[in-house]
């Protein structure tokens, strides 16, 4: 696997966002993890959504995002809320 788009859930648009955020390889994404990757994208693109975080976690785990366990989805929802609160506080 040499391209980010070789990972599950990573299409051309998300691949471009990852690269723009400094994440250029599948190994970098896996080492950073979905939460850090999402945070980096969110810094550049405030429209980044929960489904993007799911997609990134699925890519890290090597599964389609809809196959993530419910417990993982709940954790990601909490992380998403925290990241968006931090951003909202930083803006005001």
């Amino acid at each position: 696997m040499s391209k980010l788009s070789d990972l599950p859930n990573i299409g051309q648009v998300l691949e471009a966002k990852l690269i723009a955020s400094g994440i250029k390889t599948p190994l970098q994404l896996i080492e950073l993890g979905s939460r850090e990757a999402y945070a980096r994208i969110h810094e550049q693109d405030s429209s980044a959504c929960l489904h993007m975080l799911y997609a990134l976690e699925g890519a890290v785990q090597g599964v389609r995002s809809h196959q993530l366990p419910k417990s993982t989805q709940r954790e990601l929802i909490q992380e998403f809320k925290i990241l968006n609160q931090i951003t909202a506080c930083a803006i005001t």
Side-chain angles (χ1 to χ4, degrees), residues 1-32 37 41 55-56 59-60:
M1 243 181 285
S2 60
K3 298 185 314 180
L4 288 161
S5 59
D6 291 337
L7 295 170
N9 313 309
I10 307 295
Q12 291 179 344
V13 172
L14 186 49
E15 181 178 49
K17 290 178 186 280
L18 286 163
I19 291 169
S21 299
I23 303 166
K24 298 178 176 23
T25 68
L27 183 59
Q28 283 180 306
L29 174 58
I30 291 166
E31 287 177 347
L32 281 174
I41 291 171
L56 291 166
V60 167

Side-chain angles (χ1 to χ4, degrees), residues 7-76:
L7 295 170
N9 313 309
I10 307 295
Q12 291 179 344
V13 172
L14 186 49
E15 181 178 49
K17 290 178 186 280
L18 286 163
I19 291 169
S21 299
I23 303 166
K24 298 178 176 23
T25 68
L27 183 59
Q28 283 180 306
L29 174 58
I30 291 166
E31 287 177 347
L32 281 174
S34 62
R35 291 155 177 88
E36 177 61 25
Y38 176 84
R40 289 184 182 196
I41 291 171
H42 194 261
E43 286 178 12
Q44 307 287 324
D45 178 6
S46 62
S47 70
C49 65
L50 177 60
H51 295 286
M52 184 180 292
L53 182 55
Y54 285 168
L56 291 166
E57 180 63 25
V60 167
Q61 291 190 26
V63 300
R64 300 292 300 162
S65 59
H66 63 273
Q67 294 174 317
L68 291 170
K70 294 293 181 195
S71 60
T72 300
Q73 290 179 14
R74 284 190 296 273
E75 289 173 14
L76 293 172

